[in-house]
Amino acid sequence: MSTKHHHHHHEMHEGEALASAAQDRLTEQGEQWTAMRAAVFDALAGFDKPASAYDIAEAVSKTEGRRVAANSVYRILDLFVGANLARRVESANAYVANAHPDCLHDCIFLICDSCGHTVHIDDDTLSGGVRAAAEHAGFSAPRPVIEVRGRCGDCDPA
Ligand SMILES: [Zn+2]
Ligand SMILES: [Zn+2]
Ligand SMILES: [Zn+2]
């Protein structure tokens, strides 16, 4: 999360590779990759914009062919966020799968006001500046939440 992360091997995963990286990361932390957790992760990763626990519960209910409560999805999302498998997009009040479960960053999200499409970028120099400014103002253990709203290239082609 600071400049010391600059030279690590930053790997962004998708699809099967992302699910398997997420599974490795969770099991390394002593947690089980249950069928339910796998289904929630698949549903989350299948959304192209931030998804709420309700969105995911609906998707999982469909694929599993049984009613899955938003509450149990919410608990799993909470576990995923703590384990770096998912990130919460605060201004959308929803979650995205973390494409880099193996490394920690203050992820920066760009969210389209029009279609909800969300782009995830990592710029430790930028978030490090925010951290430093917060510390300078006397805040300890700052956790930058950097989200940019605007219109994506599809909604507003240049
Ligand atoms: Zn990284
Ligand atoms: Zn990130
Ligand atoms: Zn858009």
Side-chain angles (χ1 to χ4, degrees):
M1 277 198 230
S2 62
T3 48
K4 65 177 176 289
H5 282 271
H6 271 242
H7 299 290
H8 71 284
H9 179 60
H10 185 77
E11 219 179 330
M12 300 281 272
H13 302 282
E14 49 185 307
E16 287 291 312
L18 175 56
S20 117
Q23 175 174 3
D24 289 350
R25 167 86 193 166
L26 194 67
T27 50
E28 268 164 26
Q29 292 175 78
E31 291 283 352
Q32 286 191 323
W33 186 251
T34 63
M36 178 65 177
R37 289 172 180 177
V40 167
F41 191 83
D42 278 352
L44 176 64
F47 281 91
D48 61 355
K49 52 182 155 186
S52 70
Y54 290 94
D55 297 332
I56 294 161
E58 206 169 291
V60 174
S61 297
K62 251 177 226 163
T63 53
E64 300 283 293
R66 66 185 172 91
R67 189 84 197 88
V68 171
N71 259 352
S72 31
V73 170
Y74 182 78
R75 278 194 300 273
I76 294 173
L77 289 172
D78 216 35
L79 172 78
F80 285 177
V81 169
N84 200 38
L85 268 55
R87 305 289 306 212
R88 203 178 136 72
V89 180
E90 304 287 348
S91 69
N93 205 12
Y95 300 82
V96 292
N98 184 3
H100 53 73
D102 303 319
C103 54
L104 274 174
H105 293 278
D106 297 309
C107 302
I108 298 167
F109 295 105
L110 319 178
I111 306 125
C112 178
D113 278 332
S114 179
C115 72
H117 177 65
T118 298
V119 175
H120 164 193
I121 56 177
D122 295 296
D123 184 338
D124 289 344
T125 309
L126 200 55
S127 56
V130 173
R131 272 174 186 276
E135 274 159 7
H136 188 71
F139 269 60
S140 58
R143 183 179 62 90
V145 175
I146 307 175
E147 299 181 359
V148 178
R149 309 292 307 215
R151 283 159 71 81
C152 76
D154 286 342
C155 291
D156 203 355

